[in-house]
Amino acid sequence: ILEDDPYFFVNLQRKDASGPFEPANMLGTSSYPKSLLSMDVDGRVVRLDSCSKMLAPGFRLGWVCGHKTLLAKWAVLAEVL
């Protein structure tokens, strides 16, 4: 299962200005649906995140989160392609 959520970190307003940039401290995140990765118990979900929407439209910066065995296979695939 591939979960792509590039707009998750677009909301930069914090409830407490001195608090950390974490989902629990961000306005509006209580209404967000739960991430598929947070509900994954079998290690079958790969989540793609990006902050290129915040920095610059043409700047491509992203990362992958998932189970370590699945990401190890992903790394091997990336070497081949």
Side-chain angles (χ1 to χ4, degrees):
I1 300 171
L2 185 64
E3 178 180 14
D4 185 16
D5 194 5
Y7 297 101
F8 183 79
F9 292 104
V10 172
N11 181 5
L12 293 177
Q13 294 181 343
R14 295 179 284 176
K15 295 176 188 174
D16 178 14
S18 62
F21 279 107
E22 294 179 349
N25 192 34
M26 297 169 82
L27 292 173
T29 54
S30 59
S31 63
Y32 285 1
K34 287 184 76 172
S35 167
L36 295 176
L37 183 62
S38 69
M39 297 184 284
D40 184 25
V41 294
D42 298 325
R44 297 187 299 167
V45 177
V46 173
R47 180 181 168 96
L48 303 176
D49 284 306
S50 171
C51 61
S52 59
K53 304 289 188 246
M54 293 185 297
L55 299 175
F59 186 61
R60 300 292 179 233
L61 178 64
W63 58 94
V64 177
C65 300
H67 194 270
K68 63 182 178 181
T69 56
L70 190 57
L71 292 183
K73 293 178 182 180
W74 181 298
V76 170
L77 180 64
E79 291 175 5
V80 174
L81 296 179

